[in-house]
Amino acid sequence: MQLDGKLSRLAIPSKGRLQESSEQLLKAAGIKFRQRERSLVAHVEGLDLAVLFVRPDDIPILVAEGAADLGIVGRDLVHEHACEQRVQQVLDLDFGHCRTCVAARTGGKIRKVKDLAGRKVAASMVHSAREFFRLRKVKAQVVEVSGSVEIMVALGLADAIVDLVESGDTLRDNGLEIIETIAPSQAVLIQGRRVRDPKLCERVRRRLEGVLTAQQYTLLEYNIGRAALKDAEKIAPGFDSPTISDTEDPKMVAVKVMIPKKRSVEIMDKLESLGASAILETAILNCRL
Ligand code: AMP
């Protein structure tokens, strides 16, 4: 496919941990495209937008330089490539959660970051690691490795590592434990400072935001006596505010309210104790708020 200069561009990972979730999120948001075998570009149906399938490491730079308008990438990589001032992080995408950590041998001599003065630390994210030790004024030698960072202490290459940790299982399997967490990360939508079509970028952002909100919220409907309405609103205040409708019984109202999915059972219990009846929970597939 030829890349028309006017077409906006969204860069997504062509491989790795964030690839599948990125594609699923775009699909749920109605950003549909068909990737031809080995093609690095696909046109999005119904939008003046092309999807670029690129290495995750390149995404911050592509967006910062304006070669792409939008990108989906881990926040850790935006930092590693020193692009925080050069791109805007316009939406947290709630997947790819992890944290950049310093880890050392479990129960070993290295207990704190300052114990690493004069010692070697293996990292693939060398810029983030060097910056961390510089800011902490600890003179550690950061050794660059490109993968399998967790094994470097056992191999004797380094006394500690700086790496991304999700559950901590890989660290444990390699006899390591976290001695300090540097920063949390998750997948983010990034946008360039000067984009081809700002309205289209905002439309893509709103679409993704709608899907994410729908994933986190659920719709609750219930009937309650007018006298208890104020207390019910305190339990479930809603995203903006609840929708209240009259019922045939002048003492009762019907309420529709969005609530955080994680708290739905607890909120239903509380509303029931207040005297609410006909409490129904329905999934929200997509929304714009
Ligand atoms: P990749 O190396 O291409 O598989 O993707 C790495 C990206 O996934 C990182 O930049 C992080 O944002 C995210 N991620 C989430 N959990 C982890 C983890 N345990 N290790 C490495 N990357 C992770």
Side-chain angles (χ1 to χ4, degrees), residues 15-18 56 74-77 96-98 164-166 185:
K15 61 181 188 95
R17 287 169 194 261
L18 304 185
R75 176 170 290 147
D76 51 285
L77 284 182
H97 288 276
C98 58
L164 293 170
V165 180
E166 194 180 345
S185 177

Side-chain angles (χ1 to χ4, degrees), residues 91 201-211 286-289:
L91 189 63
C201 290
E202 177 58 7
R203 190 193 288 189
V204 170
R205 193 193 70 78
R206 290 285 291 156
R207 281 197 188 188
L208 300 187
E209 189 176 51
V211 174
N286 203 338
C287 63
R288 298 295 159 90
L289 299 169

Side-chain angles (χ1 to χ4, degrees), residues 31-102:
I31 297 173
K32 294 189 187 136
F33 50 87
R34 204 174 304 144
Q35 186 183 10
R36 296 231 180 91
E37 216 184 327
R38 280 195 246 149
S39 171
L40 302 179
V41 184
H43 187 248
V44 175
E45 287 171 29
L47 289 179
D48 288 331
L49 181 67
V51 174
L52 315 179
F53 306 95
V54 291
R55 276 175 50 103
D57 264 303
D58 294 333
I59 294 176
I61 307 291
L62 284 170
V63 176
E65 292 288 328
D69 304 274
L70 294 165
I72 293 181
V73 67
R75 176 170 290 147
D76 51 285
L77 284 182
V78 179
H79 185 74
E80 177 62 13
H81 293 282
C83 285
E84 274 150 332
Q85 304 305 316
R86 303 182 65 202
V87 303
Q88 300 177 67
Q89 297 182 28
V90 291
L91 189 63
D92 289 347
L93 299 177
D94 201 24
F95 63 87
H97 288 276
C98 58
R99 52 223 148 103
T100 313
C101 294
V102 186

Side-chain angles (χ1 to χ4, degrees), residues 37-271:
E37 216 184 327
R38 280 195 246 149
S39 171
L40 302 179
V41 184
H43 187 248
V44 175
E45 287 171 29
L47 289 179
D48 288 331
L49 181 67
V51 174
L52 315 179
F53 306 95
V54 291
R55 276 175 50 103
D57 264 303
D58 294 333
I59 294 176
I61 307 291
L62 284 170
V63 176
E65 292 288 328
D69 304 274
L70 294 165
I72 293 181
V73 67
R75 176 170 290 147
D76 51 285
L77 284 182
V78 179
H79 185 74
E80 177 62 13
H81 293 282
C83 285
E84 274 150 332
Q85 304 305 316
R86 303 182 65 202
V87 303
Q88 300 177 67
Q89 297 182 28
V90 291
L91 189 63
D92 289 347
L93 299 177
D94 201 24
F95 63 87
H97 288 276
C98 58
R99 52 223 148 103
T100 313
C101 294
V102 186
R105 203 186 293 277
T106 307
K109 283 189 193 139
I110 311 290
R111 308 306 311 152
K112 294 194 182 99
V113 171
K114 67 175 173 43
D115 298 337
L116 286 166
R119 294 183 180 260
K120 283 188 187 165
V121 179
S124 58
M125 311 162 69
V126 279
H127 294 113
S128 305
R130 287 190 181 125
E131 178 195 47
F132 172 73
F133 289 111
R134 194 177 58 246
L135 291 173
R136 292 294 288 271
K137 299 191 169 59
V138 172
K139 288 212 162 88
Q141 184 193 343
V142 175
V143 183
E144 181 166 8
V145 290
S146 56
S148 309
V149 183
E150 299 91 347
I151 205 163
M152 297 305 165
V153 173
L155 292 180
L157 180 88
D159 303 290
I161 62 167
V162 167
D163 203 12
L164 293 170
V165 180
E166 194 180 345
S167 64
D169 290 347
T170 318
L171 285 186
R172 257 189 305 281
D173 292 348
N174 287 283
L176 299 173
E177 64 182 357
I178 295 172
I179 58 168
E180 189 156 325
T181 297
I182 301 178
S185 177
Q186 63 174 288
V188 287
L189 178 70
I190 57 172
Q191 181 172 328
R193 300 257 166 219
R194 288 181 58 206
V195 293
R196 288 167 185 76
D197 184 346
K199 278 196 183 141
L200 179 72
C201 290
E202 177 58 7
R203 190 193 288 189
V204 170
R205 193 193 70 78
R206 290 285 291 156
R207 281 197 188 188
L208 300 187
E209 189 176 51
V211 174
L212 294 171
T213 309
Q215 280 169 4
Q216 286 156 6
Y217 285 81
T218 182
L219 187 69
L220 208 63
E221 294 176 74
Y222 59 91
N223 294 340
I224 197 156
R226 279 184 198 278
L229 183 59
K230 280 275 163 294
D231 288 335
E233 281 179 343
K234 278 184 204 144
I235 294 167
F239 200 88
D240 283 331
S241 58
T243 307
I244 318 285
S245 321
D246 290 335
T247 64
E248 280 186 355
D249 178 349
K251 288 198 194 110
M252 299 288 283
V253 286
V255 182
K256 239 186 214 182
V257 65
M258 278 174 73
I259 57 166
K261 211 182 258 183
K262 281 187 196 154
R263 294 188 50 224
S264 77
V265 182
E266 170 212 327
I267 290 175
M268 285 169 97
D269 285 346
K270 287 186 178 161
L271 290 173

